[in-house]
Amino acid sequence: MGFGGYQGTILRVDLGNKQFKEHPIPKEWIRDYIGGDGFAAKILFEEVPPECRPLDKENKLILATGPVTGTSWPTSGRSAFFSKAALTGIWGESHVGGFIGPELKYAGYDLLVIEGRCEKPVYISIEDSDLQLKDASDLWGEMTDTTTSRVRRLEGDPDTQVAAIGPAGEHGVRFSSIIVNYARAAGRTGMGAVLGSKNVKAIAIRGRGAVQVNDHEAFVELAKQAHRRTRENPQAQEMSKWGTWSLTATKQEIGELPTYNHRTGVFSGWEKISAGYIRPRYTVSDRACFGCTIGCKKVNYIKEGEYAGTLEEGPEYEGLMAFGSSLGIDDYPTTLKANEICNKYGMDIISVGTTIAFAMELYEEGILTTEDTGGLELEWGNKKAAIQLLEMIGEREGLGELLSQGSKNAAEAIGPEAEQYAMHVKGLEVSGQDGRTHRSIGLAHATAARGADHLRSLVTVDQLGYEDVAAKRWGKDKLPEIIDPYTEKYKAAAVVETENAYCIRDTLIVCWYSVSWPPIFWMEDFAELLPLVTGIDEFGSVDNLNLIAERQVTLKRLFNAREGITRADDTLPRRFTKDPMPEGPGKGQTVDLDPMLDAYYRRRGWDKETGLPTDKIIKNLSLDWTRDFMN
Amino acid sequence: MPQQLTVDYTKCTGCRLCELACSAHHENKFQPSLARLKIVRYDDIGVDIPNVCGPCEEAPCVDVCPTYAMRRDPITDMTYVDYDKCILCKSCVGACVNGVIRLDTESMRIIKCDHCDGDPECVKICPTGAIQFGPPARSTVVDRHDKAETYLAEMTRTASEGES
């Protein structure tokens, strides 16, 4: 202890020996890494070596919070899971909203590290200092919603926060997720499979303690101002009403709504999966994560038709893309149903949707036939077939067995003719953006530690043309090119700066909707906030925060380097670099990745040829200790 | 005119900022378990219900108190604890219909809402206006009941159609 905001304790559970252990957080970790992402990177680097495969019992799964978690700072209810990823075999992280992170803090812990494997299914029960592994044999096989309800009943307290896996995680579906509070998904990179491989069905947490900050009065005052800023922010107000759904129309307008497996960026049926269409017809309630002023979560209900009676939170824009435009489906009830199945089975809607899109394109190209699909006619827009295939993937049946391995592995199994249709980077399926109409996201997809990631450095300032913000952040001299989404010039500068700020965001941890479109909060706000929370004056320097962010980005890169990742892996699917955008405002555009990569590595201090951190930058970032763990 | 906390659950997003603001004000730390109000979240049906102190026509906490420690202010209508008389029997904790009177087991005292002396923190931080402070007549109880009934009827209808 000693620093405000932290509980000062890491809780480790060794499943093999059925033991819980508490360790103090070393002070230098706080100084060098702040929290969240940073602590997890440090632990995974030291404790999960390259010879350990994701589903081995030696792999570890971390649930992390940051110093701001559990306070009244707006959008600070998030937490994150970390592990060597089941989907990609490299660095894995998956952030999630809801209430479980703050609850872990109130129970008295900053981090939960899950190690080893149980011989029988269990769930981890944390009720303040009462720590137990409880039998989950008769929960095994249950969907996440049933599991959550039953665990809450077993714990005897409806305020217990539950993170659960569904059948997909149990079966080792590579892109299976961990579902928190029924509908908040730690979706990406396959955290569910890691938990499943450890025979852990759920994590139940109830905490009644307090989180205390260093300067309570000043912090509360600053947090109140921050809430005011959030409430008055026009984009945040839009988010309150529409969630991320308004992106459908925006994306359609700029020609970047991934359609037919990212083949094109415009979708004729976009209106039926857009905010203005969905909300008046289906939305019954607005909800929020812990401590959030925005409240972007929408609960939706289907009154009529085949899926009548479906009551489900979501999906986000990414779901509308993955189970809408990307499959040629212009039917919101189908998308909501798909979201429900994804949540119940515990699967990442982006990865599974993109993998089904891959299968549909193979079907169109004649590479997959009804013989391979078990009779399913995988034509674009075939709603029933898409839903059926989704369930087959959750159960790993028929073609679902192959696709449950993710699009990269499935393409390798099918043959070289399939590979160009697998839309992934480093094994992680591409999210709902397209570098052809937004160059900076092309670079971010290619370089992000976990693969084709839209959350570690999605520059929005360029795409939406916020000239003043761009001038302030990157300098007037870089205008107008830096906000031109169709040129590679200066994009590395924007990506690196944004990645650094998002990195600090992920150590606090706060939600990315408070740093987007254009940002409500940025580095200078974090620098104002952190000393009040922690009492550490050094966090008051933006330069220091940038240094901490660079250290983390480079540390994750070193983690991946140990797994064999080099510049050769920092690629994009062929479609983005070779096939010009066929229509829409971005018609004719492709991504020229190499010059952006050169500039990105130069800014990061990584070697241009190999894409690996140089000795010099390793030393400058005080990462010399990593050498003891390199192979 | 006495003022009371009134709630509209159809506006509540379940963010629990009120619990944070409450504990920050009264306890100088962030501890929802010691908040003087409580959001009950029903994740499975997407409904969140704020439970606050009052407005109570009859106040069970006052009626049940064996030592007359729980009393009602004749002007504000607010109930309050006279700590000199309280014997920590927890009768009021059990009797409170909203479940918002608690025993703080660390300080060993009964904690309950005091409307922050007329300027409630929960109201100020609530992002949607789900919690308001004013004369009880402003409460939208009837409207809320209508909404709940429509909601439940709709679910029953689709459930029965699904069975047929």
Side-chain angles (χ1 to χ4, degrees):
Chain A
M1 193 52 205
F3 296 127
Y6 301 93
Q7 302 296 23
T9 309
I10 300 171
L11 177 64
R12 285 177 186 262
V13 49
D14 181 343
L15 298 165
N17 297 324
K18 298 189 166 43
Q19 272 182 341
F20 288 87
K21 279 188 189 143
E22 295 177 19
H23 298 279
I25 296 178
K27 286 197 169 162
E28 59 275 15
W29 285 25
I30 292 175
R31 182 195 66 204
D32 294 345
Y33 301 98
I34 303 178
D37 259 36
F39 291 172
K42 172 88 176 160
I43 293 174
L44 286 184
F45 196 94
E46 288 190 353
E47 299 179 18
V48 180
E51 57 272 19
C52 167
R53 300 323 305 152
L55 302 186
D56 289 351
K57 69 172 192 277
E58 287 76 20
N59 194 11
K60 301 190 178 183
L61 184 91
I62 300 171
L63 168 60
T65 68
V68 179
T69 312
T71 70
S72 62
W73 188 261
T75 76
S76 64
R78 289 179 80 84
S79 48
F81 290 93
F82 301 88
S83 190
K84 186 177 285 185
L87 180 58
T88 58
I90 57 173
W91 170 260
E93 63 183 288
S94 197
H95 295 244
V96 64
F99 297 77
I100 201 161
E103 206 69 31
L104 182 69
K105 287 280 285 280
Y106 297 135
Y109 310 102
D110 297 287
L111 274 85
L112 169 67
V113 183
I114 303 169
E115 312 174 340
R117 175 184 292 156
C118 263
E119 68 274 25
K120 279 189 186 153
V122 293
Y123 76 89
I124 298 169
S125 162
I126 299 170
E127 188 183 357
D128 294 310
S129 55
D130 183 9
L131 311 166
Q132 293 182 57
L133 293 177
K134 296 186 180 171
D135 180 42
S137 307
D138 60 348
L139 292 170
W140 207 251
E142 294 287 2
M143 299 286 172
T144 58
D145 54 342
T146 313
T147 306
T148 305
S149 303
R150 285 182 58 189
V151 167
R152 277 188 175 166
R153 204 163 286 261
L154 287 166
E155 292 294 285
D157 187 338
D159 290 325
T160 305
Q161 306 298 340
V162 182
I165 61 164
E170 296 171 12
H171 300 162
V173 172
R174 296 275 204 119
F175 38 65
S176 51
S177 56
I178 298 174
I179 302 288
V180 178
N181 296 96
Y182 297 85
R184 306 289 154 83
R188 307 228 72 192
T189 72
M191 294 294 155
V194 176
L195 205 55
S197 74
K198 299 189 170 307
N199 265 327
V200 174
K201 180 67 178 168
I203 305 164
I205 306 177
R206 177 76 174 108
R208 296 181 185 83
V211 171
Q212 284 177 279
V213 297
N214 187 65
D215 186 340
H216 183 80
E217 260 174 52
F219 174 80
V220 167
E221 202 39 56
L222 189 70
K224 279 182 186 168
Q225 285 174 28
H227 279 288
R228 217 168 297 140
R229 272 169 72 184
T230 311
R231 241 181 274 176
E232 288 164 6
N233 182 288
Q235 274 78 15
Q237 286 168 358
E238 290 286 300
M239 282 287 293
S240 297
K241 184 160 186 198
W242 308 107
T244 46
W245 294 340
S246 38
L247 280 172
T248 307
T250 312
K251 292 278 194 177
Q252 171 73 12
E253 194 187 326
I254 59 181
E256 200 196 321
L257 182 63
T259 303
Y260 307 127
N261 196 27
H262 284 79
R263 192 188 288 162
T264 175
V266 288
F267 180 46
S268 57
W270 69 275
E271 272 180 301
K272 287 194 169 171
I273 52 167
S274 68
Y277 186 88
I278 302 168
R279 185 172 172 107
R281 287 170 179 80
Y282 302 105
T283 304
V284 293
S285 130
D286 301 292
R287 304 190 86 202
C289 298
F290 189 75
C292 181
T293 309
I294 302 172
C296 70
K297 303 295 171 204
K298 310 294 159 210
V299 180
N300 305 286
Y301 179 65
I302 297 175
K303 289 181 188 152
E304 287 147 346
E306 194 171 352
Y307 302 123
T310 305
L311 178 72
E312 186 69 17
E313 203 170 286
E316 304 268 334
Y317 155 73
E318 290 288 342
L320 296 178
M321 177 283 299
F323 250 89
S325 57
S326 181
L327 304 182
I329 292 173
D330 59 349
D331 182 48
Y332 178 72
T334 302
T335 307
L336 187 68
K337 185 67 188 172
N339 195 56
E340 184 191 65
I341 295 169
C342 285
N343 285 347
K344 286 190 174 183
Y345 274 91
M347 287 190 283
D348 174 22
I349 195 166
I350 303 176
S351 279
V352 74
T354 304
T355 303
I356 291 175
F358 158 74
M360 282 187 167
E361 191 159 16
L362 294 186
Y363 185 84
E364 185 180 53
E365 295 292 332
I367 300 168
L368 284 182
T369 62
T370 41
E371 223 162 88
D372 306 299
T373 65
L376 281 184
E377 290 174 359
L378 289 180
E379 278 141 0
W380 297 117
N382 187 340
K383 299 179 269 188
K384 276 202 167 159
I387 294 286
Q388 215 174 326
L389 186 54
L390 177 61
E391 284 174 330
M392 285 163 64
I393 293 172
E395 297 286 354
R396 290 184 69 169
E397 284 171 6
L399 181 63
E401 163 62 27
L402 177 68
L403 298 181
S404 75
Q405 301 303 305
S407 53
K408 176 174 185 256
N409 294 313
E412 278 168 12
I414 293 166
E417 72 279 14
E419 272 175 26
Q420 61 165 311
Y421 304 113
M423 302 302 290
H424 72 87
V425 177
K426 302 183 180 77
L428 183 72
E429 283 74 13
V430 175
S431 47
Q433 296 77 29
D434 191 326
R436 288 175 295 186
T437 44
H438 186 189
R439 290 298 197 281
S440 58
I441 192 64
L443 178 60
H445 274 158
T447 54
R450 65 176 185 176
D453 191 337
H454 62 296
L455 295 175
R456 300 287 90 69
S457 181
L458 174 51
V459 186
T460 53
V461 174
D462 55 352
Q463 195 183 33
L464 301 176
Y466 294 117
E467 212 167 289
D468 337 343
V469 185
K472 192 174 146 216
R473 275 211 239 149
W474 304 313
K476 273 206 171 95
D477 58 313
K478 295 195 181 65
L479 286 169
E481 289 93 337
I482 202 160
I483 58 164
D484 176 357
Y486 296 157
T487 164
E488 281 77 11
K489 206 170 176 193
Y490 299 132
K491 290 308 179 298
V495 165
V496 165
E497 197 255 2
T498 307
E499 192 174 24
N500 284 354
Y502 287 5
C503 195
I504 299 302
R505 170 202 73 195
D506 292 341
T507 59
L508 293 177
I509 303 172
V510 295
C511 179
W512 107 270
Y513 296 139
S514 69
V515 295
S516 55
W517 306 328
I520 310 170
F521 308 113
W522 206 248
M523 280 294 213
E524 55 278 12
D525 301 291
F526 300 150
E528 191 180 1
L529 150 77
L530 270 172
L532 297 181
V533 175
T534 60
I536 301 170
D537 294 336
E538 289 78 5
F539 289 158
S541 147
V542 170
D543 288 345
N544 185 35
L545 293 185
N546 268 316
L547 183 76
I548 292 170
E550 281 174 33
R551 182 178 295 128
Q552 273 171 46
V553 173
T554 296
L555 180 55
K556 289 181 194 172
R557 182 66 172 189
L558 287 168
F559 184 93
N560 281 345
R562 218 166 45 168
E563 303 293 331
I565 296 290
T566 64
R567 175 171 181 146
D569 301 283
D570 292 346
T571 55
L572 288 174
R574 206 195 95 102
R575 177 154 283 167
F576 294 153
T577 55
K578 296 281 192 297
D579 303 348
M581 182 65 94
E583 56 190 324
K587 188 175 175 179
Q589 296 288 328
T590 53
V591 185
D592 186 8
L593 195 54
D594 280 325
M596 290 198 290
L597 282 178
D598 289 347
Y600 179 86
Y601 297 143
R602 195 175 59 243
R603 284 182 174 269
R604 283 275 171 237
W606 300 353
D607 183 78
K608 205 172 103 175
E609 305 303 319
T610 62
L612 301 178
T614 59
D615 289 341
K616 189 175 157 212
I617 195 75
I618 289 175
K619 192 165 182 302
N620 287 350
L621 296 173
S622 325
L623 287 171
D624 304 87
W625 60 269
T626 56
R627 288 177 214 281
D628 300 341
F629 297 89
M630 295 302 277
N631 32 347
Chain B
M1 187 81 163
Q3 302 217 339
Q4 291 283 5
L5 290 171
T6 57
V7 301
D8 180 352
Y9 81 84
T10 62
K11 287 184 181 162
C12 179
T13 64
C15 71
R16 297 171 61 191
L17 271 168
C18 49
E19 294 179 17
L20 286 166
C22 182
S23 72
H25 178 73
H26 290 286
E27 305 290 338
N28 285 320
K29 51 193 177 184
F30 300 103
Q31 189 169 9
S33 66
L34 292 185
R36 276 75 165 157
L37 79 175
K38 182 171 167 55
I39 304 300
V40 178
R41 292 173 49 89
Y42 297 92
D43 286 323
D44 44 351
I45 55 168
V47 172
D48 306 291
I49 305 202
N51 284 0
V52 299
C53 178
C56 291
E57 278 296 318
E58 306 284 327
C61 56
V62 174
D63 295 343
V64 80
C65 184
T67 63
Y68 303 102
M70 189 70 81
R71 303 223 292 273
R72 195 158 182 158
D73 186 304
I75 296 168
T76 66
D77 245 10
M78 190 61 174
T79 60
Y80 64 96
V81 189
D82 180 345
Y83 288 104
D84 291 338
K85 291 187 176 155
C86 177
I87 55 167
L88 297 177
C89 70
K90 297 211 285 178
S91 299
C92 53
V93 176
C96 177
V97 287
N98 292 330
V100 292
I101 304 179
R102 291 168 185 189
L103 173 70
D104 176 359
T105 50
E106 213 163 286
S107 69
M108 284 316 281
R109 64 206 292 262
I110 293 293
I111 54 173
K112 79 170 290 294
C113 176
D114 63 357
H115 287 171
C116 299
D117 298 323
D119 190 17
E121 293 290 327
C122 52
V123 174
K124 285 192 279 184
I125 202 149
C126 180
T128 61
I131 307 179
Q132 304 224 353
F133 190 57
R138 276 176 51 198
S139 146
T140 52
V141 175
V142 177
D143 188 34
R144 276 192 285 130
H145 277 275
D146 280 352
K147 280 181 188 164
E149 274 166 17
T150 318
Y151 192 76
L152 292 171
E154 183 55 39
M155 287 180 75
T156 318
R157 182 183 73 80
T158 43
S160 62
E161 277 178 11
E163 281 161 17
S164 59

